Amino acid sequence: MTLVLHNYFRSSTSTRVRAALNLKGLDYDYVSYALLKDEQRGAAHLALNPQGLVPTLVTDDGALPQSLAIIEWLDEVHPEPPLLPADAWGRARVRSLAHIIALDVHPVNNLRILKHLETEYGVDADGKAAWFRKWAQAGMESLEARLSSEAETGTFCHGDTPGLADLCLFAQVLNNGRFGVGLDAYPTIARIHAACMAMPAFERAAPANQPDAT
Amino acid sequence: MTLVLHNYFRSSTSTRVRAALNLKGLDYDYVSYALLKDEQRGAAHLALNPQGLVPTLVTDDGALPQSLAIIEWLDEVHPEPPLLPADAWGRARVRSLAHIIALDVHPVNNLRILKHLETEYGVDADGKAAWFRKWAQAGMESLEARLSSEAETGTFCHGDTPGLADLCLFAQVLNNGRFGVGLDAYPTIARIHAACMAMPAFERAAPANQPDAT
């Protein structure tokens, strides 16, 4: 199977997918779109994904956008190592943890939203950083509260192997660093993030290690 | 199995889950939190869900927050009628459609974001409606482009039975109506929404038909 990932080094949804591909041991071709130049809104990428957002994974079956849909698909067609637990309640827990970040933090802080705050309301760089921090901190607090209190938390978000929630946590923590959201207030998240970074599959997925990194 | 849905009539994530429960033919108890009074941030609800967002489904296994995690869990433990296709690529397609709304539209237009625009930047009601419309229209355009061009689209988003993407579409279209985002520009979405509304499972899930509707 040929896999081509259309993405951008700094996009945290792209980082999630790169780490998932690496954990599965899957090779892929890397195509980059400079989001600051709106290249993802060009005709070539819109033909793959009318939404004009990265990432899109092109597979032998077709083009698949949306990072969580890509990761769930990868886990179904390449089940080893699994990115979701074997039991339904465990899968529900992992998805509910992942979605704190993937639904309630990342979309609100996406580049297109920050750009719009600037153009529509004149929000400056400090104001955009404050916006980012507000929603990132709310999500991190919720995630920390759950991870630190729930018995299923292990070395990673659910037990001792990394999965969907760790992919989201990992990418969000790296993104948070750009806006001054550190890990001091979130010891469980910090510990899990360190466990991710210690694995080559995650480390190779980090923005700084991509061919289009600036 | 006893199911208790902690939710709010107007919350579109709650509407998704209510319609899923109805499609599965599952009875549930209804507990309401008035979001405008921040009741979901009270101690009782925070004990169930530290994130303080609705909906949370309380099951015999525990409390499960996050609407999409709830729907995926319902589909795993009560597989009939299915809310996702039988094939992996079909499931990927349906998730990727659902996530256009669930990740890239709804979170950006959530009540807490609109409130923050008002308190932080003095955005008035017209400005908040313009914000809502911008992101809702972007999502609807992307969704319409895919639904109208992809062969898998049928009476519903994927074939002729309703599923995860239809749950998201249905709830978002109802929410859009409150902010003047109509369906004229989105004929495929309009047709699918009408097909949903014609089913009692969806109609009974609509905000206007809940006990806490005002």
Side-chain angles (χ1 to χ4, degrees):
Chain A
M1 177 177 284
T2 306
L3 296 171
V4 183
L5 183 63
H6 297 258
N7 78 143
Y8 180 59
F9 78 106
R10 199 176 266 154
S11 147
S12 80
T13 51
S14 300
T15 302
R16 290 175 198 157
V17 174
R18 292 193 299 261
L21 288 160
N22 292 345
L23 284 167
K24 297 289 187 185
L26 296 168
D27 287 329
Y28 61 94
D29 291 332
Y30 188 105
V31 179
S32 169
Y33 298 82
L35 301 194
L36 291 171
K37 297 178 186 167
D38 258 346
E39 289 180 357
Q40 80 286 1
R41 308 272 327 152
H45 187 254
L46 287 176
L48 294 176
N49 176 12
Q51 202 179 4
L53 295 175
V54 293
T56 296
L57 185 68
V58 176
T59 79
D60 292 348
D61 290 325
L64 180 60
Q66 288 290 345
S67 64
L68 296 190
I70 294 169
I71 294 167
E72 294 259 3
W73 177 81
L74 283 172
D75 204 42
E76 293 188 3
V77 297
H78 298 283
E80 295 300 328
L83 299 176
L84 287 164
D87 63 303
W89 188 252
R91 284 193 293 279
R93 176 175 182 263
V94 168
R95 289 188 180 114
S96 76
L97 293 170
H99 292 184
I100 292 174
I101 292 170
L103 279 81
D104 294 322
V105 175
H106 175 265
V108 183
N109 285 339
N110 208 346
L111 182 60
R112 62 181 187 146
I113 308 293
L114 299 178
K115 275 186 180 174
H116 186 68
L117 285 172
E118 181 176 343
T119 55
E120 189 69 17
Y121 303 113
V123 178
D124 63 11
D126 285 349
K128 289 189 285 184
W131 172 280
F132 183 102
R133 284 194 297 269
K134 177 176 178 63
W135 310 114
Q137 287 167 343
M140 292 297 107
E141 282 168 23
S142 305
L143 187 61
E144 178 69 24
R146 290 197 52 193
L147 290 172
S148 63
S149 66
E150 295 179 1
E152 298 92 334
T153 306
T155 303
F156 293 96
C157 288
H158 194 86
D160 296 328
T161 53
L164 176 66
D166 304 288
L167 295 168
C168 294
L169 179 157
F170 169 74
Q172 186 64 44
V173 166
L174 294 179
N175 212 14
N176 286 348
R178 297 170 53 217
F179 293 89
V181 178
L183 286 170
D184 289 352
Y186 318 115
T188 316
I189 293 171
R191 173 177 67 68
I192 293 171
H193 186 256
C196 292
M197 277 302 275
M199 293 182 72
F202 282 94
E203 201 264 342
R204 283 193 291 123
N209 299 326
Q210 305 316 307
D212 55 337
T214 52
Chain B
M1 178 177 282
T2 306
L3 296 170
V4 183
L5 183 62
H6 296 258
N7 78 144
Y8 179 59
F9 78 105
R10 199 177 265 153
S11 147
S12 82
T13 51
S14 300
T15 301
R16 290 175 198 158
V17 174
R18 292 192 298 261
L21 287 161
N22 293 343
L23 284 167
K24 297 289 187 185
L26 296 168
D27 287 330
Y28 61 95
D29 291 331
Y30 188 105
V31 178
S32 169
Y33 298 81
L35 301 194
L36 292 171
K37 297 179 188 167
D38 259 347
E39 288 180 357
Q40 80 286 0
R41 307 273 326 152
H45 187 254
L46 287 176
L48 294 176
N49 176 11
Q51 203 179 2
L53 296 174
V54 292
T56 297
L57 185 68
V58 176
T59 79
D60 293 347
D61 290 325
L64 180 60
Q66 288 290 345
S67 64
L68 296 190
I70 295 170
I71 294 167
E72 294 257 5
W73 177 80
L74 283 172
D75 205 41
E76 293 188 2
V77 296
H78 298 283
E80 296 299 329
L83 299 176
L84 287 164
D87 62 303
W89 187 251
R91 283 192 294 278
R93 176 177 182 263
V94 167
R95 288 187 180 115
S96 76
L97 294 170
H99 292 184
I100 292 174
I101 292 170
L103 279 80
D104 293 322
V105 176
H106 175 266
V108 183
N109 284 339
N110 208 345
L111 182 60
R112 63 182 186 145
I113 307 294
L114 299 179
K115 275 185 179 174
H116 186 68
L117 286 171
E118 182 177 342
T119 55
E120 190 69 17
Y121 302 114
V123 178
D124 63 10
D126 285 351
K128 288 189 285 184
W131 172 279
F132 183 102
R133 285 195 297 270
K134 177 176 177 65
W135 310 114
Q137 287 168 344
M140 293 296 108
E141 281 168 23
S142 305
L143 187 61
E144 177 69 24
R146 290 197 52 194
L147 290 172
S148 65
S149 67
E150 295 178 0
E152 299 93 334
T153 306
T155 303
F156 293 95
C157 288
H158 194 85
D160 296 328
T161 53
L164 176 67
D166 304 287
L167 295 169
C168 294
L169 180 155
F170 169 73
Q172 186 63 45
V173 167
L174 294 180
N175 212 16
N176 286 349
R178 297 171 53 215
F179 293 89
V181 178
L183 287 168
D184 289 354
Y186 318 116
T188 315
I189 293 171
R191 173 176 68 67
I192 292 171
H193 186 256
C196 292
M197 277 302 274
M199 293 182 71
F202 283 93
E203 201 265 342
R204 283 193 290 123
N209 297 327
Q210 305 316 307
D212 55 337
T214 51

